Amino acid sequence: MPSLSDLGQLPKRLVLGRAVRSDRLGESLLPKRYALPIFASDPLSSVAYATQEILIVLTLGGTAFLYLAPWLAVAVVLLLITVVLSYRQVVHAYPSGGGDYEVAMKNHGQFAALVVASALLVDYVLTVAVSVSAGTDNIISAFPSLDEYRVPIGVGLVALLAAANLRGVRESGRAFAVPTYLFISGITVMIVTGLIRYFFTDAGVVSETAQYTVTPEPAYENVAGLALLFFALRAFASGCTALTGVEAIANGVPAFKPPKSRNAATTLALMGGFAAAMFAGVTALALLADVKYVEHPCDLNGFANCETEPQRTVIAQIAAAVFGGDGSVGFFVIQAATALVLILAANTAFNGFPLLGSVLAQDRFMPRQLHTRGDKLVFSNGILLLAGFAMLLIVAFDADVTRLIQLYIIGVFTSFTIGQWGMVRHWNREMRHEQDPAARRRMRRSQLINTIGGSLTTVVLVIIVVTKFTHGAWLVLVAMPILFGLMRAINHHYTHVSEQLIPDTDSRLLPSRVHAVVLVSKVHKPTLRALAFARATRPDALTALTVNVDDADTRALQGDWERYDIPVPLTVVESPYREITRPVVDFVKGIRRNSPRELVIVFVPQYVVGHWWENVLHNQSALRLRARLQFQPGVMITTVPWQLESSLGRDDGDGTARGPLPGDLRRGLTDDQADATPYG
């Protein structure tokens, strides 16, 4: 029959599976076929909303400015190619997995590194919120009746993603491979089919919104000159969401199979090629099919149910136009693949955030718990932290992609920019020590690539900040400094603690005397065991201490003390206000005050119970005493446990506990070994 410990572990095992030994870490490393869906699903899936975001901005001026879309798409593709080439240099130069954070730390210093870290942490949280919300949008495009459940669907999907990642990176890679490759192949077929239909058939490709006109916003009706340039730059900034997630491969190099750097660089190139081609194809089809997508549905003249019915996404409109309506098999395949890959795109952040958190924790800028691997050899605390913050964003913004997207990409372009200029410094330093002409030529080529990448991402970062600031981006610009300050404070704390723990002469001095104090409430087995243990330590002084909160009980205790002939005097301290903790602490302080070099060891008897509800009935006094005494210098607290029968399982009368003892599961004892464990 399962024990209490077995039942307590059951929900965890159902979600996560069996724990994995530390020496099997190498088995979780990823081949390229799994690394691509795990690390590249974010930039690949962004083609589902990057074109849509460009159209949302351009249609603020009606349809008059849609002619800008092809030029903006070309600019985004060129930027994507440049950034991918730049990050190929990063994965070769810094294969340890720190990515832009490590580049900034080694080439710019701590300040820049923490700016990068705060930017990436914010961006990873937004990646999950935006990707899941966009995936939810595509589910609703196929099944509009689900619109009222948008937020619960989003929160539930984040929880599922967290559970999948907690099971281990290799297992999640297998789960994510099929949707990602289905999306790539599905979008490719849709683009090829759409172009063939448009150029080689009479049917053409016509979207469901082609017949609608768009009511322009008054402020954008007569845009010209510098205002038009600003307007175009704002649309370009929105389209740059196609670049999110590119940095994840540089942060995840340690997860690749050897040769790590080469495999990561190859995966990066594949990701860049697929993303650029799909983004260009989707944008081309959206324009050829005359797709309309606006910020406010009622700006579509002809959209009868704009108040209650959600707009179909750009991908949904293209799929319906290419495959012959929203009831076709092709339409549902594309919607299913798009929704899945958008939801799974959040997995890029679920891999990047915990890895970055681990690196930051190792450098003492984040809590040490983020550096610890869980049962499945993944950074469980980082995964749970990311999921929690993403859920909060989804709830706060009602899983609305248009609102969330305004907060997006500032963080990632901040890290792009600092990282690329850091790589320029890296190559300068390397060339000072390199004499081989061929190696120097390679370094100069890499430096040129990073210089171009840094220049372009700097310009784009300025554009994004300026054009998106009043549309919600100010929240990110507030969150990043807060995170920066928090990391500095954590580092200051760890540094201060380390300085205090450095051994000195005083820490080597032996105490002048040892005074043992045994806390007594009654004369029973736990008290007698604590006294025996205290006497076994051979202290210079031994005090049995009780607190008088009830005169009758104290007299009864003194009578039992004499009757059992206990060879230790019983000291009674008065408590006129019926407190226990304060008189004990004051007594211990008095010993230390009279003899500052004297070590006081307080022995606290405590029951060990087997049921959660029994803890409510016992141990409260012991907990309070330990909590107060641990702040007293020169005082040691020794808990003396007394195991009650409920903590040992069923007793057959022969001194053997049937079933695992507390801690057996963690120690790895088998049932037979646990059954043979004696107690008493």
Side-chain angles (χ1 to χ4, degrees), residues 363-538:
D363 291 345
R364 302 194 300 185
F365 291 110
M366 293 292 275
R368 290 292 299 172
Q369 292 89 331
L370 293 179
H371 186 59
T372 305
R373 292 182 184 269
D375 285 353
K376 302 294 287 187
L377 297 179
V378 295
F379 299 108
S380 307
N381 293 326
I383 291 171
L384 293 172
L385 194 64
L386 173 62
F389 280 120
M391 288 178 183
L392 285 176
L393 273 180
I394 288 172
V395 172
F397 287 85
D398 297 321
D400 188 329
V401 178
T402 302
R403 293 171 62 195
L404 285 167
I405 212 80
Q406 305 302 329
L407 315 181
Y408 210 16
I409 72 173
I410 288 182
V412 74
F413 271 91
T414 300
S415 64
F416 283 173
T417 301
I418 296 175
Q420 294 311 306
W421 289 119
M423 287 300 296
V424 173
R425 284 192 171 188
H426 166 80
W427 297 123
N428 277 335
R429 187 175 62 253
E430 291 295 307
M431 282 191 288
R432 284 199 294 267
H433 306 291
E434 183 59 63
Q435 303 300 322
D436 181 46
R440 287 180 63 85
R441 282 195 298 272
R442 288 194 297 271
M443 289 178 182
R444 286 192 182 278
R445 184 185 63 214
S446 297
Q447 187 181 49
L448 177 62
I449 292 171
N450 289 128
T451 301
I452 295 172
S455 301
L456 288 178
T457 54
T458 301
V459 172
V460 173
L461 177 60
V462 173
I463 292 170
I464 291 169
V465 171
V466 172
T467 60
K468 286 180 172 284
F469 183 84
T470 57
H471 297 277
W474 64 269
L475 285 172
V476 175
L477 297 176
V478 169
M480 284 169 53
I482 290 174
L483 263 177
F484 179 93
L486 181 63
M487 287 188 284
R488 288 289 295 268
I490 290 172
N491 181 258
H492 176 75
H493 169 76
Y494 281 134
T495 302
H496 188 55
V497 168
S498 296
E499 290 171 352
Q500 294 180 72
L501 298 180
I502 296 173
D504 56 14
T505 305
D506 290 342
S507 61
R508 295 173 179 268
L509 293 176
L510 295 176
S512 59
R513 299 176 73 243
V514 176
H515 192 144
V517 177
V518 179
L519 303 184
V520 177
S521 60
K522 294 181 180 179
V523 178
H524 50 24
K525 291 179 180 179
T527 297
L528 296 178
R529 174 180 283 183
L531 281 168
F533 286 0
R535 294 176 66 193
T537 64
R538 299 185 181 278

Side-chain angles (χ1 to χ4, degrees), residues 133-219:
S133 297
T136 304
D137 259 357
N138 278 274
I139 293 172
I140 292 169
S141 292
F143 305 101
S145 60
L146 296 176
D147 187 42
E148 59 181 307
Y149 305 108
R150 180 183 298 269
V151 172
I153 290 172
V155 170
L157 291 172
V158 173
L160 285 175
L161 279 170
N165 278 274
L166 288 170
R167 289 190 69 89
V169 76
R170 189 179 178 90
E171 293 178 22
S172 63
R174 291 193 183 100
F176 299 164
V178 173
T180 303
Y181 289 126
L182 177 63
F183 176 73
I184 293 172
S185 58
I187 295 296
T188 302
V189 170
M190 183 182 74
I191 293 170
V192 172
T193 304
L195 293 176
I196 291 174
R197 287 193 60 176
Y198 185 85
F199 289 107
F200 299 104
T201 70
D202 295 331
V205 180
V206 182
S207 75
E208 64 190 45
T209 56
Q211 59 184 325
Y212 300 157
T213 58
V214 178
T215 302
E217 297 285 337

Side-chain angles (χ1 to χ4, degrees), residues 596-647:
R597 286 193 56 200
E598 188 168 343
L599 172 66
V600 180
I601 304 176
V602 181
F603 289 82
V604 184
Q606 180 176 320
Y607 304 138
V608 178
V609 297
H611 303 101
W612 65 267
W613 52 267
E614 290 180 291
N615 278 306
V616 179
L617 306 177
H618 299 282
N619 300 329
Q620 307 311 309
S621 297
L623 289 172
R624 286 194 295 269
L625 279 165
R626 288 204 304 271
R628 288 288 302 277
L629 288 170
Q630 67 183 350
F631 291 103
Q632 304 304 317
V635 176
M636 291 176 57
I637 308 158
T638 301
T639 299
V640 183
W642 181 268
Q643 292 80 12
L644 298 176
E645 288 184 359
S646 64
S647 70

Side-chain angles (χ1 to χ4, degrees), residues 215-231:
T215 302
E217 297 285 337
Y220 297 96
E221 281 190 273
N222 299 303
V223 175
L226 288 176
L228 177 60
L229 176 62
F230 184 85
F231 181 67

Side-chain angles (χ1 to χ4, degrees), residues 61-73:
T63 57
F65 299 109
L66 289 178
Y67 73 91
L68 294 171
W71 302 105
L72 298 177

